Amino acid sequence: MAQVLEFKLPDLGEGLTEAEIVRWLVQVGDVVAVDQPVVEVETAKAMVEVPCPYGGVVTARFGEEGTELPVGAPLLTVAVGAPEDSPEGSGNVLVGYGTQAPAARRRRVRAGTAAADGQVRRPGTADAAPHARVAAPAPPPAAAPAPVEGPVPVISPLVRKLARDNDVDLRRLTGSGPDGLILRADVENALRTQAARAATVADHAVPTPAPTAGERAAAAPAAPRAEDGVRIPLKGVRGAVADKLSRSRREIPDATCWVDADATELMRARAAMNATPGAKISVLALLARICTAALARFPELNSTVDTEAREIVRLDRVHLGFAAQTDRGLVVPVVRDAHTRDAESLTAEFARLTEAARAGTLTPGQLTGGTFTLNNYGVFGVDGSTPIVNHPEAAMLGVGRIVPKPWVHEGELAVRQVVQLSLTFDHRVCDGGTAGGFLRYVADCVEQPAVLLRTL
């Protein structure tokens, strides 16, 4: 006889606690193989296809598309072979999921339990009296459960926030998840119950006479309520960005300095590079190469602050993040070991990660672990900005648009290609002298690319 195994949403890594169902890849009744992707979910960092570690027939799905599930909540159930045939472990390892059959809840596929007299009874029901024919009286309405003692069985912080924002006492709820876990649906059901009770009370309330036309005219216009606007949930990428920027503002005492630079020679050097056979070099790659050279001279800015130990941790390797705007929002892919790459390698890696970002296929590992960020907001047609440091990094270089402007060159007024550079930095890791030295070196390399030859 078949067994039904429950597949729970696995830990997708990088401290993620929930994921939103974007698209089901299987239907109830479909036959799935081991490691076959069954659902596409969106985490706070990326779109991920989740493979199922079992092979069999899908018997149930938990959650519609658009539903947000906490890690550990049931995703689907699969009917596999006979119990004596132990299910083959999956070779596709997810964080928190081994390759062997997990200690999942198992139950046999049957509608009831056969009694000795051949009648079928539902599990958990008592045998009826042999000659009883009179129906038992209907049970009285169930009273609200009393508050439980001890920790509340809630995993998702989003569920806690939803309950807190709507004054729902989680201790009075009975969770529908495994082992009594309280899910988002439980809180939403409680809210619907509260709304129904309020509507019932309103229906029995004594009606008040309608105001006259004069009273309506004399009444002052009411102030706009929050309910009148459109509420957009802070979830997915937007929620992750909001959390990270808020944390940066709370923890990092940042400061910004900026300078205008004549980028004419840099653009000429790029044109000369691209005139030769081979891959074309991007401006972003040249700026990244300048960044890594500057960080070698000013390593204080390639660091992070360990607040618990009250220590500054200087990092030996440069993992360079760069801001990329996508349809899903702002993401910051990371180029690993950028200090070891030349302009061609940087150009290729920027192109690869940008394409993956636009397709929504970046993995959590490609979006974390940066040590310094390069933000080219000039692509939006703006000159300057004071960006927020990408926590837990210590600095970010901002680059505005490169446009023709009047500029004094060799004692005469000329039209040159000018760019504004800005550096936002954590004032805990260095003082203004270090930050100014870094930015001045970057500007010198932009104005005179030959300066880089000293470090090549």
Side-chain angles (χ1 to χ4, degrees):
M1 188 176 293
Q3 285 181 312
V4 174
L5 300 183
E6 187 177 79
F7 176 42
K8 300 179 180 180
L9 178 64
D11 180 356
L12 299 173
E14 303 297 338
L16 302 175
T17 58
E18 63 274 326
E20 179 181 338
I21 297 175
V22 176
R23 182 167 59 100
W24 283 106
L25 305 178
V26 295
Q27 303 291 331
V28 174
D30 287 356
V31 177
V32 296
V34 173
D35 290 341
Q36 176 180 334
V38 293
V39 65
E40 187 178 64
V41 300
E42 179 180 18
T43 70
K45 298 182 182 297
M47 300 276 282
V48 180
E49 287 187 350
V50 181
C52 180
Y54 317 127
V57 179
V58 177
T59 58
R61 302 186 317 191
F62 299 93
E64 299 297 327
E65 294 179 357
T67 303
E68 200 162 54
L69 297 178
V71 169
L75 259 181
L76 50 76
T77 53
V78 179
V80 299
E84 58 268 21
D85 300 332
S86 58
E88 182 182 353
S90 165
N92 195 332
V93 180
L94 290 171
V95 179
Y97 255 81
T99 58
Q100 300 301 318
R105 185 168 71 245
R106 300 186 180 187
R107 58 184 183 274
R108 297 187 181 278
V109 183
R110 54 186 177 183
T113 304
D117 57 4
Q119 295 179 347
V120 176
R121 299 184 178 89
R122 296 289 177 184
T125 59
D127 291 342
H131 302 290
R133 291 293 181 268
V134 180
V148 300
E149 300 296 334
V152 180
V154 180
I155 292 178
S156 172
L158 297 179
V159 174
R160 291 184 180 274
K161 185 177 186 303
L162 179 63
R164 184 172 61 251
D165 292 346
N166 293 278
D167 297 325
V168 175
D169 187 357
L170 292 173
R171 295 181 181 276
R172 292 186 175 274
L173 299 185
T174 301
S176 61
D179 299 325
L181 180 69
I182 297 176
L183 306 178
R184 182 171 183 168
D186 299 324
V187 180
E188 291 174 343
N189 289 336
L191 293 176
R192 282 192 289 269
T193 302
Q194 290 179 0
R197 290 174 181 170
T200 303
V201 172
D203 290 341
H204 292 82
V206 178
T208 57
T212 64
E215 291 172 339
R216 287 195 299 267
R225 299 175 301 171
E227 291 80 1
D228 295 335
V230 177
R231 291 180 175 266
I232 301 174
L234 275 175
K235 61 181 183 178
V237 173
R238 175 52 53 191
V241 170
D243 293 341
K244 197 160 192 178
L245 296 182
S246 298
R247 182 177 182 183
S248 179
R249 277 295 189 216
R250 286 194 307 268
E251 296 186 9
I252 298 178
D254 59 354
T256 302
C257 54
W258 56 88
V259 65
D260 290 339
D262 179 2
T264 305
E265 296 302 323
L266 180 68
M267 301 305 290
R268 286 177 179 170
R270 174 175 176 261
M273 295 177 191
N274 291 340
T276 60
K280 304 300 181 184
I281 305 299
S282 68
V283 175
L284 189 63
L286 294 177
L287 293 170
R289 185 64 189 87
I290 292 173
C291 271
T292 58
L295 289 172
R297 297 170 68 95
F298 299 92
E300 298 92 336
L301 294 170
N302 193 55
S303 61
T304 187
V305 176
D306 186 340
T307 53
E308 293 185 1
R310 294 185 61 83
E311 294 176 341
I312 297 173
V313 183
R314 290 190 183 175
L315 305 170
D316 297 329
R317 302 161 68 184
V318 179
H319 301 317
L320 187 67
F322 66 99
Q325 190 69 37
T326 70
D327 293 339
R328 298 174 59 238
L330 178 69
V331 294
V332 184
V334 177
V335 177
R336 303 288 169 181
D337 296 316
H339 60 292
T340 65
R341 298 175 180 267
D342 58 19
E344 285 189 1
S345 174
L346 288 168
T347 297
E349 189 67 0
F350 282 138
R352 184 184 72 85
L353 292 174
T354 299
E355 181 62 28
R358 290 171 178 166
T361 58
L362 287 172
T363 65
Q366 293 172 319
L367 290 164
T368 54
T371 64
F372 187 92
T373 296
L374 177 60
N375 188 354
N376 181 22
Y377 45 74
V379 297
F380 302 117
V382 297
D383 295 323
S385 175
T386 55
I388 300 175
V389 175
N390 188 19
H391 184 279
E393 299 171 12
M396 176 186 295
L397 178 68
V399 182
R401 59 177 180 165
I402 302 175
V403 293
K405 287 185 179 180
W407 189 266
V408 177
H409 176 66
E410 296 180 351
E412 295 183 359
L413 189 62
V415 177
R416 306 285 287 182
Q417 299 292 320
V418 179
V419 62
Q420 185 178 101
L421 306 171
S422 66
L423 177 71
T424 299
F425 63 99
D426 186 341
H427 226 314
R428 295 174 298 178
V429 304
C430 69
D431 296 326
T434 300
F438 174 93
L439 189 58
R440 187 64 258 171
Y441 178 80
V442 171
D444 289 344
C445 290
V446 168
E447 294 184 339
Q448 302 177 33
V451 173
L452 271 178
L453 294 175
R454 295 177 60 89
T455 58
L456 296 180

